[in-house]
Amino acid sequence: MPERILVVDDEKEIADLVELYLRNENYEVYKFYTAREALACIESTELDLAILDVMLPGVTGFAICQKLRERHNYPVIMLTAKAEETDKITGLTLGADDYVAKPFRPLELVARVKAQLRRYQRYNPARAAPEPDVLEQGGLWMDVKTHQCQADGRPLALTPTEFSILRILLENKGRVVSGEELFHQIWQDEYYTKSNNTITVHIRHLREKLGPGAGYIKTVWGVGYQIET
């Protein structure tokens, strides 16, 4: 079952953009532009994470967070146009887990969502979805636990980074994964720029090991990479 994420922001463009990126990650999104609708959702829906804008009209994101914490312990990420230290302290004091200042990069927010969900599931194993030990697509075969990988029955000697890239692509087969997203998932909060060719180099090495003409990793120009399905 996909994780259910609450998104609350009165700026429609931002809320819609966040929803788009989260749905692209196969999350189930409950999006609202008002605090009243969000509070009703919190009361009626079992959620896994909440993204709350601080500067909502009427009831603030801080108030929603405080109300939410009366009954729930899933992660809360606060969004705000302010980068003031006092706002951050207020949010964290009321029970928020992370804090992102606007303007932000959507992929950075997605990376923070994934990090918070991993942390939450680690300490709440009953909420964690079982992860497959073996990933397969066509002639590609990967055992996540033993770190073994084969292409058309031929063992592959992959570096840890190459293994991680191939694993992410296999876990997202059928979906294009950007170089920036790969970078953030592997190196977490390390700084990324479009001129950074780290992922490109590792993809080239992976293709060399998979063999000429294997065609497993497809480049979608200007977007990213995906496993051929």
Side-chain angles (χ1 to χ4, degrees), residues 42 63-77 94-97:
I42 290 169
I64 297 176
C65 181
Q66 189 172 26
K67 182 70 174 176
L68 182 157
R69 280 289 175 255
E70 293 176 2
R71 295 180 53 189
H72 306 288
N73 65 348
Y74 50 76
V76 174
I77 298 175
L94 293 173
D97 299 277

Side-chain angles (χ1 to χ4, degrees), residues 25 46 74-75 85 94 99 118 139 146 153 178 193 217 227:
E25 296 292 332
E46 185 176 349
Y74 50 76
E85 190 68 20
L94 293 173
Y99 198 92
R118 282 196 300 269
T146 64
S178 71
T193 65
I217 302 177
I227 289 291

Side-chain angles (χ1 to χ4, degrees), residues 52-88:
L52 309 176
D53 180 30
V54 169
M55 301 302 290
L56 292 169
V59 179
T60 67
F62 291 144
I64 297 176
C65 181
Q66 189 172 26
K67 182 70 174 176
L68 182 157
R69 280 289 175 255
E70 293 176 2
R71 295 180 53 189
H72 306 288
N73 65 348
Y74 50 76
V76 174
I77 298 175
M78 306 297 297
L79 299 180
T80 182
K82 295 181 179 180
E84 296 179 7
E85 190 68 20
T86 53
D87 279 353
K88 183 175 182 179

Side-chain angles (χ1 to χ4, degrees), residues 30-202:
Y30 295 81
K31 176 189 65 179
F32 303 101
Y33 307 124
T34 69
R36 180 181 56 81
E37 294 173 308
L39 288 168
C41 177
I42 290 169
E43 291 296 320
S44 62
T45 307
E46 185 176 349
L47 300 166
D48 296 288
L49 184 142
I51 300 173
L52 309 176
D53 180 30
V54 169
M55 301 302 290
L56 292 169
V59 179
T60 67
F62 291 144
I64 297 176
C65 181
Q66 189 172 26
K67 182 70 174 176
L68 182 157
R69 280 289 175 255
E70 293 176 2
R71 295 180 53 189
H72 306 288
N73 65 348
Y74 50 76
V76 174
I77 298 175
M78 306 297 297
L79 299 180
T80 182
K82 295 181 179 180
E84 296 179 7
E85 190 68 20
T86 53
D87 279 353
K88 183 175 182 179
I89 293 171
T90 300
L92 296 177
T93 300
L94 293 173
D97 299 277
D98 203 355
Y99 198 92
V100 179
K102 300 176 184 178
F104 57 85
R105 293 180 299 173
L107 284 175
E108 178 187 353
L109 178 60
V110 169
R112 289 174 180 264
V113 165
K114 290 181 177 180
Q116 289 297 331
L117 286 172
R118 282 196 300 269
R119 188 174 297 114
Y120 178 53
Q121 291 166 353
R122 187 179 302 126
Y123 294 106
N124 296 270
R127 299 294 297 271
E131 296 183 358
D133 295 334
V134 174
L135 301 170
E136 295 181 86
Q137 178 59 39
L140 276 178
W141 176 91
M142 174 181 285
D143 189 313
V144 175
K145 285 190 173 180
T146 64
H147 242 251
Q148 293 178 314
C149 188
Q150 296 180 5
D152 301 317
R154 175 172 51 87
L156 299 177
L158 303 181
T159 66
T161 299
E162 291 165 355
F163 188 92
S164 296
I165 290 174
L166 192 56
R167 175 181 178 177
I168 293 168
L169 292 176
L170 283 168
E171 288 173 338
N172 292 274
K173 59 185 179 183
R175 187 178 74 81
V176 179
V177 183
S178 71
E180 182 176 359
E181 184 178 348
L182 285 169
F183 192 93
H184 280 305
Q185 286 203 46
I186 295 169
W187 287 282
Q188 299 300 315
D189 290 333
E190 293 287 336
Y191 184 65
Y192 176 90
T193 65
K194 290 187 181 299
S195 61
N196 191 321
N197 66 350
T198 303
I199 294 297
T200 304
V201 172
H202 286 299

